[in-house]
Amino acid sequence: MDEALLRGLTPSVLAVLVRRGADFAAAEDAVQDALVESVRVWPADPPRDPKGWLVTVAWRKFLDATRADTARRRREDLVDEEPAPGPAPAADDTLQLYFLCAQPSLTPSSAVALTLRAVGGLTTRQIARAYLVPEATMAQRISRAKRTVSGVRFDQPGDVATVLRVLYLVFNEGYSGDVDLAAEAIRLTRQLAAAIDHPEVAGLLALMLLHHARRAARTASDGSLVPLAEQDRRRWDTGLIAEGVEILQAALARDRLGEFQAQAAVAALHADARTAAETDWVQIVEWYDELTRLTDSPVVRLNRAVAVGEADGPRAGLAALAALDASLPRHAAVAAYLHERDGDLATAARLYAEAARKAPDLAERDHLTRQAARLNACR
């Protein structure tokens, strides 16, 4: 069973059902039922046209559910609209579906969560982690969003800002582990950049390209994480860096600064440095000041504390960190790094161990555990 194929087909199949009159929540349930059926049937009898098979089965699942609570006339109308047999048209509806899910009837945060779950393929746990909220809270938010759009015709696309937020979060989740997910986010953002002239779309595309350029150097041969300062910069993709910088410069020249352009500027400064020691940390702090003004995000403030520690010394970084909530994800890891640079190895080792216990994934946990063990061995 090709899980990547199923994930890639899901948005298009969902879009077909929505266009044919299914409300979003019912269409999503029908597609999920069809995916379960494919797991049972395909190993023994793989279809020639996987998308056409999924469309047909999902539509029948939807009709079966509709017949339980819909009037006879509506049931007969839906049966008449059943897709004809044969190959389904090869159209990519993913980006359109992102816009359709960014419903005006939903708050931006709810629209993003719903789209990430239904179209982006992220789990509720992954979405909750991105929003820094408990999984149960996010599950309730997604359920409320489904109820809000239940029965709504998806003919009023949402705004660009909401779609950009979804693409950004999908890329972030892919960047931390799933290569295909990151590549898919880049592909869709390229499509969006080709369709509309918007500086923040360009900024997001530049940000993705600049980060993706470093991917090959982010892990060692044994799968362990390699911090930015220790990466072999010869393994960075100079073509992607050049493209990202060019796109960013064109966006910044329009003087309509947004958070994605500012984030891309930070990434470009890292990419521009031939060695970690040559990084222009003073300018990076200035860009984080702009990001703080634009977003007032605690994550931005956390990253700014690291930059301040590099530009003005670890004690200045610790002073900036002291103003932040210690429960913030990766707060302990940042504190450990700054204490280590300040020479307090005992505190740094303790904080690395604490950060390892809170790490969101195995690779990060192992890296932090090794950092704690390294400092403990030095004492």
Side-chain angles (χ1 to χ4, degrees), residues 81-148:
E81 294 171 8
E82 184 171 352
D92 183 357
D93 302 297
T94 309
L95 189 58
Q96 178 191 15
L97 201 58
Y98 273 56
F99 271 95
L100 292 176
C101 287
Q103 275 288 299
S105 57
L106 295 172
T107 64
S109 61
S110 294
V112 169
L114 179 62
T115 312
L116 288 171
R117 182 70 185 92
V119 189
L122 272 63
T123 65
T124 303
R125 175 174 297 179
Q126 290 170 319
I127 302 168
R129 187 172 66 201
Y131 271 91
L132 309 181
V133 299
E135 184 177 354
T137 300
M138 183 53 65
Q140 292 175 353
R141 183 180 299 178
I142 293 172
S143 294
R144 285 196 299 269
K146 287 182 178 180
R147 288 196 298 270
T148 299

Side-chain angles (χ1 to χ4, degrees), residues 54-112:
L54 286 171
V55 168
T56 300
V57 173
W59 186 256
R60 288 172 180 167
K61 296 287 186 182
F62 168 72
L63 291 180
D64 289 344
T66 300
R67 289 188 182 101
D69 56 8
T70 305
R72 173 177 293 276
R73 179 176 298 178
R74 180 56 180 156
R75 295 201 306 270
E76 292 172 352
D77 289 343
L78 290 172
V79 170
D80 290 340
E81 294 171 8
E82 184 171 352
D92 183 357
D93 302 297
T94 309
L95 189 58
Q96 178 191 15
L97 201 58
Y98 273 56
F99 271 95
L100 292 176
C101 287
Q103 275 288 299
S105 57
L106 295 172
T107 64
S109 61
S110 294
V112 169

